[in-house]
Amino acid sequence: MSGRESRQLGRWGEEQAAGLLRGKGFQILEANWKCRFGELDLIAEDGAYLCFVEVKLRKNDAYGSPGAAVDWRKQEKLRAAAEVYLVQHPTKLQPRFDVVEIYAPQGARTAEPEILHWENAF
């Protein structure tokens, strides 16, 4: 898969995750928010929490679950980026880190991907 195809599949996965979150009553505030420490895939709020959502997509679990890719190094990058976001966008909402796992065997052609939302993942 080329870099372009991978980015397109990643965007598709983020759109799937955003749709799931909207269905649960979340408002998507930002998508692909970037700072010098990295990127936050989705930033969403539900009235009680400001969620920094990492989206991970896999065609299968041959190399482990998608969420397993959010290791301690990735978590540190996400925390650092979230701190920058919170300085720039103060809020009274409780911050939380969520992970959305997407299993899409046919990639973006998958009619019904399996989507799992892990609240307060780390």
Side-chain angles (χ1 to χ4, degrees):
M1 179 180 305
S2 72
R4 181 173 169 254
E5 291 169 331
S6 181
R7 283 187 300 278
Q8 287 175 334
L9 183 59
R11 283 190 195 92
W12 177 84
E14 289 165 2
E15 290 168 6
Q16 300 301 307
L20 173 84
L21 294 171
R22 283 187 193 101
K24 289 183 165 189
F26 285 81
Q27 177 184 2
I28 306 300
L29 304 176
E30 302 274 355
N32 302 307
W33 187 86
K34 294 177 179 75
C35 72
R36 66 185 184 141
F37 295 110
E39 179 180 315
L40 298 167
D41 291 336
L42 297 172
I43 302 170
E45 65 104 347
D46 69 352
Y49 294 97
L50 179 67
C51 299
F52 300 100
V53 183
E54 180 67 7
V55 179
K56 289 294 180 189
L57 183 144
R58 298 285 185 272
K59 290 187 175 187
N60 58 52
D61 59 3
Y63 297 103
S65 71
V70 187
D71 62 8
W72 67 272
R73 286 182 195 96
K74 182 64 174 177
Q75 291 175 20
E76 287 302 312
K77 284 182 153 188
L78 295 170
R79 283 186 185 105
E83 286 181 31
V84 172
Y85 182 86
L86 290 169
V87 167
Q88 294 177 2
H89 304 87
T91 182
K92 293 183 191 253
L93 298 175
Q94 175 68 43
R96 185 176 83 191
F97 291 91
D98 292 2
V99 172
V100 172
E101 294 182 325
I102 301 173
Y103 290 94
Q106 288 81 38
R109 293 186 317 271
T110 304
E112 293 185 32
E114 180 183 355
I115 305 174
L116 304 169
H117 178 203
W118 301 102
E119 297 180 2
N120 203 24
F122 59 92

